[in-house]
Amino acid sequence: MIFCETTILPGERRNVQIPVPDAPPLEAVCLCGADLGRTLVVTAGVHGCEYVGIQALRRLARELDPAALTGNVILLPLANPTAFYAGAKQVVPEDGVNLNRAFPGDRKGSLSARLAFALEEALYPAADLLADLHGGDCSEALQPLVFFPTAGEEAVNRASQAAAKALTVPYRVRSAARNGLYSWAVQKRIPALLIERGEKGLWSEQEVDACCEDVRSLMRHLNILPGGNPPRDQTEIVEAFYAEAESEGFWYPAAGFSQQVRKGELLGHLETLSGSRLQEVRAECDGIVLYYTVALGVRAGDPLIAYGHP
């Protein structure tokens, strides 16, 4: 296996640096299987305060035995390290840009654009399947779920959906996104997923266990690990709706995650400092709440609530 011009021998585990133009490198852990097979790439820490996936990849980097693998696994626990260490939610602190909105990257752009460029250059050519691990940061409550693409070529969409079905999350959500780490990979014909687990800027060993099982499920799906996966109990969300704040204000949610809502039902409202109502969010369909913002204060454009229907 060759990754970032580094040769990893069969049965070997090695830390490999991913070069970032005019910035410190990122550190990946590469596990080269004893036998030839496909390659799974798993990333975390695109958003620095989404901890479950970060801790899961750190654990898997220690626990997985490359000699027992058929194929390869590349783990990148911290795609946005300065955000993690600074506790900066959702953005790269140096430029204030959401890294998951910075694709395609630019080697001459601001740091978020250069990180996106580095991730594309290193990870995409290596991946038979890419999974990007996310979770609710300090302002988000959510149910575990996986987004799979509908905006790629049909074969890529189908391969991504088949991988999503291997996971232990209760919801599988169709997504037409194009400009994130996983969704831009899809535009480059790489099957990819975005997995959400964890909420409110917290993590627990139970959630990390579940996240590790999801990664192992993808490894079994690709036959990197033997044994296959049992049928999973998932609900596919065929259409999702995402409400954003129209201005800054005070947000008061009226529905919790996994709650069934009816078309026209009030899901929350936004107020001014003086108490005037700025915005009401009402359900556009019958559906299920997937995640919502628990922050009292929000800015214009901030996500408020997401819901969808099977």
Side-chain angles (χ1 to χ4, degrees), residues 227-270:
N229 293 304
R232 305 298 193 187
D233 184 15
Q234 288 181 348
T235 298
E236 181 166 316
I237 303 298
V238 300
E239 185 178 24
F241 297 84
Y242 307 91
E244 296 182 347
E246 296 173 355
S247 63
E248 67 180 17
F250 290 70
W251 164 245
Y252 297 96
F257 58 70
S258 232
Q259 180 176 327
Q260 299 281 342
V261 297
R262 305 291 293 178
K263 183 176 180 179
E265 182 177 342
L266 181 68
L267 304 181
H269 73 275
L270 199 64

Side-chain angles (χ1 to χ4, degrees), residues 102-109 112-118 120 184:
F103 291 81
D106 180 354
R107 70 175 306 137
K108 297 182 178 180
S112 57
R114 285 181 277 128
L115 284 169
F117 172 83
E120 293 174 54
W184 187 245

